[in-house]
């Protein structure tokens, strides 16, 4: 949870704040938000990408963003870290909808630029945002146009900045000394981070955790868009500035605010998860061929790209790995089925 939520906030939250700043607070909020982007905007140098030209946000072209939640910034973790929460967001202004796909951190896949098969979350540890973007792009066969990262401390600070969030917790648990009781409760930054990170006590494991991450992200976003968000905009911007990075510029965000806002009113949620298997005594999630094909085509449709008739594999990065990397799920995955919520 530590991740994508802060990420969704980092992108959608600041987006909304930009509009609010222009219409409610005027020049002061505009300058504050612009200043935040000057600090967090970091271009990424990539060796490979599927678009030959940069997507044109000003012309309302569909685009994608990789949201990375990094396991650093809190609990004494200061190293490079791994992207233990990953989400791909596709935004289509013509359809007036967006799609958010959660990617399991243990997915067994090609790490592009590192010459190996490994867990998907290792791509960030090996090569930062660029390698993570390249590896997800290769896995899903779609262009990854932009990225946003946010660390654990960012999640915590954002929850506090919006005055806490209310949830109905189904599992009474204690994580690293932080107790989160069962029932309808208001989470602050400390308990909210624990709520998003917990997985061992959840019968669904990582899948349950990812559901809670999406819940927290959605509720933070609603708070940001509310009157509370307007009143607390400086705290929100401070939380984002200290703990986030993105290759989106301030001008990009103004274009998104102008041209794409209706696309965020309808958000479809999907989950890409595989079958747990042990390979050389290491736990991985192996993806089914048909499930991955379905997910590729779902995202390609959102980006106005042609559909694939078969799983896109066998290029320079995946040659010879199809039988090893995936499993045949035709017996359990019928055409048209997916992992949507």
């Amino acid at each position: 949870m530590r991740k994508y939520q802060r990420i969704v906030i980092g992108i959608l939250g600041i987006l909304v704040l930009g509009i609010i700043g222009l219409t409610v607070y005027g020049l002061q909020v505009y300058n504050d938000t612009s200043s935040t982007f000057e600090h967090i905007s970091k271009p990424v140098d990539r060796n490979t990408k599927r678009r030959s030209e940069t997507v044109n946000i000003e012309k309302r072209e569909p685009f994608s963003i990789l949201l990375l939640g990094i396991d650093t910034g809190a609990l004494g973790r200061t190293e490079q870290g791994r992207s233990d929460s990953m989400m791909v967001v596709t935004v289509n202004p013509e359809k007036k909808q967006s799609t958010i796909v959660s990617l399991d951190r243990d997915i067994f896949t090609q790490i592009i630029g590192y010459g190996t098969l490994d867990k998907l979350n290792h791509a960030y540890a090996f090569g930062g945002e660029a390698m993570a973007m390249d590896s997800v792009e290769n896995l899903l066969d779609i262009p990854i146009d932009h990225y946003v990262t946010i660390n654990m401390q960012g999640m915590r600070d954002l929850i506090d900045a919006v005055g806490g969030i209310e949830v109905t917790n189904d599992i009474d648990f204690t994580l690293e000394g932080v107790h989160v009781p069962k029932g309808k409760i208001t989470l602050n930054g400390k308990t909210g981070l624990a709520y998003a990170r917990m997985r061992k006590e959840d019968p669904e494991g990582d899948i349950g955790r990812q559901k809670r991450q999406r819940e927290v992200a959605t509720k933070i976003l609603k708070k940001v868009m509310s009157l509370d968000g307007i009143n607390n905009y400086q705290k929100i911007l401070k939380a984002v500035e200290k703990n986030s990075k993105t290759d989106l510029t301030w001008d990009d965000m103004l274009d998104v605010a102008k041209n794409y806002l209706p696309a965020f009113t309808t958000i479809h949620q999907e989950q890409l998860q595989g079958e747990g298997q042990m390979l050389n005594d290491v736990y991985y999630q192996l993806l089914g061929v048909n499930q991955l094909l379905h997910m590729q085509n779902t995202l390609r449709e959102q980006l106005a790209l042609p559909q694939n008739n078969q799983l896109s594999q066998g290029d320079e990065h995946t040659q010879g790995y199809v039988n090893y990397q995936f499993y045949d799920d035709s017996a359990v995955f019928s055409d048209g089925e997916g992992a949507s919520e």
Side-chain angles (χ1 to χ4, degrees), residues 213-238:
Q213 289 173 354
R214 288 193 292 272
E215 176 190 10
V216 172
T218 300
K219 291 187 174 181
I220 290 176
L221 178 58
K222 288 181 178 179
K223 276 292 198 80
V224 170
M225 296 175 68
S226 70
L227 184 60
D228 288 339
I230 297 174
N231 293 333
N232 295 320
Y233 84 93
Q234 289 183 324
K235 291 181 180 179
I236 294 169
L237 289 178
K238 184 177 180 180

Side-chain angles (χ1 to χ4, degrees), residues 10-29:
I11 169 129
L12 305 185
I14 294 180
L15 183 163
V16 174
L17 284 173
I19 299 175
I20 292 172
L22 293 173
T23 58
V24 181
Y25 281 102
L27 187 59
Q28 180 58 50
V29 173

Side-chain angles (χ1 to χ4, degrees), residues 9 152-165 186-193 216 220 223-224 228-229 232-236 239:
I9 256 320
M152 287 191 291
Q153 188 62 46
M155 170 84 278
R156 191 167 164 173
D157 290 350
L158 281 168
I159 294 176
D160 283 335
V162 300
I165 56 173
T186 298
L187 301 172
N188 60 20
K190 190 175 183 179
T191 54
L193 182 60
V216 172
I220 290 176
K223 276 292 198 80
V224 170
D228 288 339
N232 295 320
Y233 84 93
Q234 289 183 324
K235 291 181 180 179
I236 294 169

Side-chain angles (χ1 to χ4, degrees), residues 90-129:
T90 57
V91 185
N92 190 309
E94 294 300 324
K95 291 178 177 289
K96 296 183 180 180
Q97 64 184 29
S98 300
T99 298
I100 298 178
V101 178
S102 294
L103 306 176
D104 194 284
R105 65 178 188 170
D106 295 320
I107 288 175
F108 189 52
T109 190
Q110 291 286 296
I111 307 300
I112 303 304
Y114 205 72
T116 187
L117 283 155
D118 208 330
K119 294 185 178 184
L120 181 59
N121 71 333
H122 287 185
Y124 180 85
F126 294 151
E129 296 87 5

Side-chain angles (χ1 to χ4, degrees), residues 2 31 41 126 179-180 186 237 300 305 308 320:
R2 18 175 149 141
N31 287 338
S41 185
F126 294 151
H179 179 238
V180 182
T186 298
L237 289 178
R300 290 179 68 83
L305 297 172
N308 290 331

Side-chain angles (χ1 to χ4, degrees), residues 32 47 84 88 116 145 148 163 218 222 228 234 239 296 334:
D32 287 347
N47 294 323
D84 276 357
V88 172
T116 187
D145 299 307
V148 178
T218 300
K222 288 181 178 179
D228 288 339
Q234 289 183 324
Q296 286 181 352
S334 60

Side-chain angles (χ1 to χ4, degrees), residues 71-91:
D71 61 351
T72 60
L75 308 178
R77 301 179 184 181
T78 58
E79 70 283 359
Q80 165 78 6
R82 289 173 288 200
S83 54
D84 276 357
S85 288
M86 289 163 284
M87 298 176 61
V88 172
V89 178
T90 57
V91 185

